[in-house]
């Protein structure tokens, strides 16, 4: 073959390879090195002059152009910041958080928290928005939600300085002056305590009491013909008023134990003896009703021996005086025995300096506002004094004695009625005088703070106990499931709780339990206290549960009525429309539940302008076109009655439950 032909073919091969290399450069698939023509070693290399202007491409310029573009592209990539992977959302957590607080911190709704707690140790059915979660559960919820936690920076509360008011140190004995004795009358109900004081004071206190039984403590100053003064405290003998009797002995010097000669030692007599012994107060026995034919004073003295009260006739040191409170027999002998014992006790007090005392009773007066009856124990009370008692304070505006007469000063052992309190303090609270109103506010703020801290501590203990109870119950439910798969465990748990899934426990409790909501208002603090003590003995929760909603002193107000109304399941009619059922038209009320919940199984009342115009059962109750058994607060529903009654916008619909329970009532004669 002609060598020229061979050389032409070789050149064509080189051209073909050059084109392929240029094509690869155009797509960025070639190395950054300039290519060189490669000749076949089968033929000799001869210089060949090609014609670049006619057909040979300008490879160097194309290569430079492509290289420049690649470099610019690389520079841009270097300048472009690398996009980091999206970081997980951080959630600020604390060691203990409520469900609601955790949902807010995660920017989620509460249902998200419930879902995250599935298959955990928490009983979701018993979980409420204010339920507190521990650290382990909080971290687990955050992790399941694809987030990460960080500890919230806690505000370090400065330790508050104790700004409470305290009593003064004991006074110098040389500065003490004699004071009248404070005598408390104790005994069983209807043994004649108030009649005894009535005769001494020549007033008709017993006639003004409800049923002739003292309802609260009365503090009186009695002036004897000999000139001596005695402050008497009349405490109730009623079984319910044990705390008030104990409060009376707390401030007293001498106890007069009244025992009816025909009845002897009774239940409250024994209790009164115990109060006196606990307070280490000497006793004088007044054997009353000795004018009756069946009276037996000796039997009374013998019965007292069993309670370690030994009268002088039996070798003891307890004086026993036979009296008739109704006829006034031998009352002066009782008064003289009291004065003689007071002289032996050498009762003295410091009448100078800031006032100290004890609140015997408190109440709200329509014209005067909060009023307290107090015994001054140290110092002299005057108008304008700034007092603190419990979490209330007062600037004394007015002072009255037991007869309603205005007083200017009240020395030690003097009973006084104080007007000027900002709030009604509790009976039994200690009265302390402070230097200014600002100081009084500081004391009240500190006491409120200390009470809140103590309450928070107790609440935390209850929460921890409840959480432990849930964890133990969870472990017990999961016993024997260690080797099961998650599907088997889920099926076992569902089977064990199938009967509970139809209704949540809270709803079940509201619909099945009988609950009586109670609001207690009394004339004085002691009466309310006594009623609460009685309710504490109630033990029939399985029949009807008692719920004390509110308690206080004073007349029943509009707020009390509104508070009582909040405990109904109540709905208001917002719209009215008719629905055709077959050939008839049924009126339907579009309602919204405002308080509590509506239960389809309960009876209903239709109230218009505060008048009940219908009572009966619903024929239907729907929510979003579905029949539902219960509608909760804030939900809308459609109601139709079992009787065609025309609704009006603004009508109120209330559900209630009626249940008759046979109850056996036992009567305690000492009550």
């Amino acid at each position: 073959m002609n060598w020229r032909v061979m050389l032409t073919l070789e050149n064509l091969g080189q051209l073909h390879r050059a084109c392929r290399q240029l094509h690869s450069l155009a797509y960025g698939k070639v190395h950054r090195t300039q290519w060189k023509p490669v000749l076949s070693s089968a033929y000799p290399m001869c210089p060949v002059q090609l014609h670049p202007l006619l057909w040979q491409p300008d490879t160097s310029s194309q290569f430079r152009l492509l290289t420049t573009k690649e470099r610019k592209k690389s520079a841009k990539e270097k300048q472009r910041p690398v996009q980091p992977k999206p970081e997980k959302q951080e959630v600020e957590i604390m060691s203990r958080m409520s469900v609601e607080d955790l949902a807010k911190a995660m920017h989620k709704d509460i249902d998200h928290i419930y879902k995250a707690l599935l298959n955990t140790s928490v009983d979701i059915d018993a979980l409420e928005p204010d339920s507190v979660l521990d650290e382990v559960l909080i971290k687990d919820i955050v992790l399941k939600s694809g987030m990460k936690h960080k500890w919230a920076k806690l505000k370090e509360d400065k330790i508050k300085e104790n700004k409470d008011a305290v009593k003064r140190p004991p006074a110098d004995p040389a500065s003490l002056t004699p004071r009248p004795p404070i005598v408390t009358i104790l005994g069983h109900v209807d043994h004649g305590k108030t009649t005894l004081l009535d005769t001494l004071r020549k007033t008709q206190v017993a006639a003004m009491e409800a049923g002739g039984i003292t309802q609260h403590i009365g503090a009186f100053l009695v002036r004897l013909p000999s000139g001596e003064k005695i402050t008497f405290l009349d405490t109730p003998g009623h079984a319910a008023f044990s705390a008030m009797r104990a409060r009376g002995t707390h401030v007293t010097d001498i106890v007069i134990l009244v025992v009816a000669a025909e009845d002897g030692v009774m239940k409250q007599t024994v209790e009164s003896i115990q109060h006196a012994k606990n307070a280490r107060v000497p006793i004088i026995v007044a054997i009353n009703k000795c004018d009756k034919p069946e009276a037996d004073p000796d039997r009374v003295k013998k019965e007292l021996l069993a309670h370690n009260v030994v009268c002088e006739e039996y070798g003891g040191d307890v004086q026993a005086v036979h009296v008739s409170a109704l006829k006034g027999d031998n009352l002066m002998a009782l008064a003289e025995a009291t004065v003689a014992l007071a002289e032996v006790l050498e009762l003295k007090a410091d009448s100078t300096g800031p006032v100290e005392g004890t609140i015997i009773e408190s109440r709200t007066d329509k014209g005067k506002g909060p009023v307290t009856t107090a015994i001054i124990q140290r110092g002299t009370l005057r108008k304008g004094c700034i007092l603190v008692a419990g979490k209330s304070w007062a600037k004394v505006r007015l002072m009255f004695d037991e007869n309603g007469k205005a007083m200017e000063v009240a020395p030690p052992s003097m009973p006084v009625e104080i007007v000027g309190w900002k709030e009604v303090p509790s009976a039994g609270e200690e009265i302390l005088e402070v230097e200014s109103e600002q100081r009084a506010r500081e004391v009240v703020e500190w006491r409120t703070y200390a009470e809140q801290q103590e309450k928070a501590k107790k609440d935390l203990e209850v929460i921890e106990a409840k959480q432990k109870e849930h964890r133990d119950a969870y472990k017990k439910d999961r016993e024997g499931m260690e080797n099961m798969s998650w599907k088997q465990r889920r099926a076992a748990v569902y089977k064990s709780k199938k009967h509970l899934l139809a209704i949540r426990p809270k709803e079940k409790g509201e619909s099945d339990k009988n609950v009586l909501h109670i609001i207690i208002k009394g004339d004085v603090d002691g009466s309310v206290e006594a009623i609460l003590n009685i309710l504490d003995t109630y033990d029939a929760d399985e029949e009807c549960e008692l719920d004390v909603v509110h308690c206080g002193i004073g007349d029943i107000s509009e707020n009390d009525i509104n508070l009582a109304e909040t405990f109904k399941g109540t709905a208001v009619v917002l719209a009215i429309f008719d629905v055709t059922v077959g050939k008839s038209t049924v009126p339907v009320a579009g309602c919204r539940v405002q308080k509590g919940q509506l239960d389809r199984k309960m009876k209903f009342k239709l109230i218009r302008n505060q008048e009940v115009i219908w009572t009966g059962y619903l024929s239907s109750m729907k929510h979003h076109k579905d029949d539902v058994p219960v509608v909760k607060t804030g939900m809308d529903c459609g109601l139709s009655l079992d009787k065609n009654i025309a609704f009006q916008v603004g009508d109120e619909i209330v559900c209630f439950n009626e249940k008759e329970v046979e109850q056996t009532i036992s009567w305690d004669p000492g009550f």
Side-chain angles (χ1 to χ4, degrees):
M1 186 179 292
N2 193 337
W3 67 272
R4 292 182 179 275
V5 176
M6 296 296 293
L7 185 60
T8 303
L9 292 174
E10 186 68 26
N11 288 336
L12 289 173
Q14 292 180 7
L15 180 61
H16 178 66
R17 285 193 293 273
C19 290
R20 292 187 63 179
Q21 288 180 352
L22 289 173
H23 184 269
S24 298
L25 282 172
Y27 286 89
K29 296 180 181 179
V30 73
H31 295 292
R32 308 270 190 239
T33 56
Q34 192 172 1
W35 58 274
K36 296 180 180 179
V38 180
L39 297 177
S40 174
S41 59
Y43 301 96
M45 295 180 63
C46 299
V48 179
Q49 179 66 40
L50 301 177
H51 303 279
L53 294 177
L54 296 177
W55 57 274
Q56 186 174 358
D58 187 1
T59 57
S60 61
S61 63
Q62 290 186 15
F63 177 74
R64 284 196 300 271
L65 179 62
L66 291 172
T67 302
T68 303
K69 289 183 178 179
E70 289 294 327
R71 288 176 179 172
K72 289 182 179 179
K73 183 178 180 182
S74 177
K76 288 182 179 179
E77 289 178 352
K78 289 181 180 178
Q79 293 176 358
R80 184 182 303 162
V82 179
Q83 294 293 335
K85 293 182 179 179
E87 293 185 1
K88 293 182 179 180
Q89 178 184 339
E90 285 188 336
V91 180
E92 287 191 349
I93 66 170
M94 294 182 289
S95 58
R96 293 183 180 277
M97 299 178 71
S98 67
V99 174
E100 188 175 14
D101 291 340
L102 181 58
K104 289 180 180 178
M106 297 174 64
H107 302 290
K108 301 286 186 180
D109 55 18
I110 294 179
D111 289 337
H112 177 85
I113 307 298
Y114 291 154
K115 291 177 183 177
L117 289 173
L118 291 172
N119 299 321
T120 63
S121 61
V122 178
D123 183 5
I124 301 177
D125 291 334
L127 209 61
E128 298 293 337
D130 58 352
S131 299
V132 178
L133 305 174
D134 59 20
E135 178 183 336
V136 176
L137 288 173
I138 293 171
K139 289 181 178 178
D140 188 37
I141 293 170
V142 172
L143 182 62
K144 286 182 179 179
S145 303
M147 304 177 186
K148 63 180 182 179
H149 71 273
K150 67 176 181 180
W151 291 105
K153 293 182 180 179
L154 298 177
K155 295 181 180 178
E156 296 184 358
D157 292 335
K158 295 182 180 178
I159 299 177
K160 288 192 175 183
E161 180 184 355
N162 189 336
K163 296 186 177 181
D164 201 1
V166 294
K167 285 185 174 181
R168 291 181 287 158
D172 182 4
S175 64
L176 301 180
T177 56
R179 65 173 177 83
I182 301 173
V183 180
T184 299
I185 308 294
L186 296 180
H188 191 74
V189 61
D190 201 28
H191 273 201
K193 300 181 303 300
T194 304
T195 305
L196 179 64
L197 278 177
D198 178 39
T199 304
L200 288 171
R201 294 191 305 126
K202 302 299 181 183
T203 59
Q204 297 296 323
V205 175
M208 295 184 291
E209 296 286 358
I213 299 175
T214 309
Q215 299 300 305
H216 48 81
I217 294 176
F220 316 104
L221 182 68
V222 175
R223 293 173 175 85
L224 302 179
S226 58
E228 287 87 358
K229 297 178 182 178
I230 302 175
T231 296
F232 284 100
L233 301 182
D234 182 17
T235 62
H238 198 287
F241 295 88
S242 174
M244 296 171 67
R245 286 193 292 277
R247 191 160 60 241
T249 56
H250 178 69
V251 298
T252 197
D253 302 310
I254 301 171
V255 165
I256 293 181
L257 182 65
V258 179
V259 185
E262 83 279 18
D263 291 337
V265 175
M266 303 291 285
K267 183 178 179 181
Q268 275 73 60
T269 309
V270 177
E271 185 189 272
S272 299
I273 294 171
Q274 194 60 47
H275 285 317
K277 289 183 176 180
N278 292 339
R280 298 181 179 180
V281 176
I283 296 175
I284 296 176
V285 177
I287 302 177
N288 193 22
K289 303 183 182 180
C290 289
D291 56 316
K292 289 190 174 183
E294 62 271 23
D296 189 356
D298 291 334
R299 179 173 67 89
V300 173
K301 296 175 185 177
K302 291 177 182 178
E303 290 178 352
L304 289 172
L305 289 174
H307 303 285
N308 202 24
V309 177
V310 184
C311 297
E312 291 177 339
E313 292 85 346
Y314 291 91
D317 58 355
V318 176
Q319 301 180 74
V321 183
H322 301 181
V323 299
S324 173
L326 186 62
K327 294 184 177 181
D329 295 342
N330 219 22
L331 293 187
M332 288 311 300
L334 178 63
E336 290 171 359
T338 304
V339 172
L341 182 57
E343 290 176 353
V344 173
L345 296 175
E346 294 184 349
L347 301 174
K348 296 182 179 181
D350 178 14
S351 59
T352 62
V355 172
E356 296 176 9
T358 300
I359 293 178
I360 301 300
E361 198 48 86
S362 59
R363 60 187 174 87
T364 299
D365 187 273
K366 287 184 179 180
K368 302 175 184 176
V371 178
T372 62
T373 300
I375 295 290
I376 304 303
Q377 296 168 298
R378 190 174 182 182
T380 300
L381 182 65
R382 294 179 173 85
K383 290 182 182 179
C385 288
I386 309 298
L387 307 179
V388 174
K391 298 191 295 298
S392 180
W393 67 277
K395 182 175 182 179
V396 180
R397 294 191 292 110
L398 298 170
M399 297 189 299
F400 300 94
D401 63 11
E402 69 274 11
N403 298 315
K405 184 179 178 181
M407 300 173 62
E408 296 297 326
V409 295
S413 295
M414 180 71 69
V416 59
E417 197 173 73
I418 303 172
V419 179
W421 295 95
K422 304 302 178 183
E423 302 287 342
V424 180
S426 299
E429 293 285 1
E430 181 182 69
I431 295 177
L432 296 175
E433 183 181 358
V434 293
E435 59 270 19
S436 63
E437 294 185 16
Q438 181 181 358
R439 175 70 178 122
R441 293 189 185 95
E442 288 178 352
V443 173
V444 171
E445 288 176 2
W446 164 257
R447 292 179 177 181
T448 303
Y449 168 77
E451 184 181 79
Q452 290 173 347
Q453 294 297 107
E454 185 65 24
K455 183 178 182 300
K457 183 180 178 181
K458 291 181 179 179
D459 290 345
L460 185 60
E461 293 175 356
V462 173
I463 290 169
E464 290 176 345
K466 199 69 175 177
Q467 288 178 337
K468 184 179 182 300
E469 180 183 339
H470 283 309
R471 285 194 296 268
D472 294 343
Y474 176 79
K475 291 178 181 178
K476 185 177 180 180
D477 291 342
R478 265 68 178 172
E479 286 180 357
M481 299 183 184
E482 294 82 3
N483 299 324
M484 293 183 181
S485 65
W486 70 272
K487 288 186 177 180
Q488 291 173 330
R489 284 199 301 270
R490 187 174 66 177
V493 172
Y494 176 80
K495 185 177 180 180
S496 65
K497 296 188 176 182
K498 186 177 180 180
H499 64 288
L500 299 176
L501 298 178
I503 185 169
R504 290 174 62 93
K506 185 177 180 182
E507 297 170 1
K508 183 178 180 60
E510 290 178 352
S511 60
D512 291 350
K513 278 189 176 181
N514 297 317
V515 181
L516 177 61
H517 302 290
I518 301 174
I519 295 177
I520 301 172
K521 297 299 288 287
D523 58 342
V524 292
D525 184 67
S527 299
V528 176
E529 177 188 29
I531 295 172
L532 291 174
N533 291 337
I534 293 174
L535 294 180
D536 285 340
T537 64
Y538 180 77
D539 58 356
D541 286 339
E542 64 279 357
E543 297 178 6
C544 180
E545 183 177 326
L546 298 184
D547 180 18
V548 179
V549 176
H550 173 67
C551 62
I553 59 177
D555 295 332
I556 297 175
S557 63
E558 184 178 353
N559 290 335
D560 297 325
I561 298 173
N562 294 335
L563 185 62
E565 290 179 347
T566 61
F567 289 88
K568 300 176 181 178
T570 304
V572 174
V573 178
L574 303 179
I576 304 167
F577 50 93
D578 295 328
V579 175
T580 302
V581 179
K583 296 182 179 180
S584 61
T585 301
V586 179
V588 176
C591 304
R592 178 169 297 159
V593 181
Q594 291 187 327
K595 307 168 188 174
Q597 66 178 18
L598 300 183
D599 191 332
R600 169 82 180 271
K601 297 179 182 178
M602 299 174 71
K603 292 187 72 174
F604 285 75
K605 290 181 181 179
L606 181 62
I607 302 174
R608 182 177 301 157
N609 298 327
Q610 299 183 351
E611 292 185 9
V612 179
I613 63 174
W614 171 85
T615 301
Y617 292 92
L618 299 180
S619 60
S620 68
M621 182 167 71
K622 295 191 176 185
H623 176 64
H624 295 318
K625 299 183 179 180
D626 297 325
D627 288 315
V628 290
V630 174
V631 182
K632 297 182 180 180
T633 303
M635 297 175 61
D636 295 333
C637 61
L639 305 179
S640 61
L641 312 181
D642 59 0
K643 184 178 180 181
N644 288 344
I645 295 179
F647 293 103
Q648 292 183 9
V649 175
D651 285 351
E652 198 172 33
I653 298 177
V654 178
C655 70
F656 64 98
N657 198 7
E658 292 180 338
K659 186 175 182 180
E660 293 184 2
V661 179
E662 188 173 334
Q663 180 71 44
T664 303
I665 300 177
S666 59
W667 174 256
D668 182 2
F671 182 80

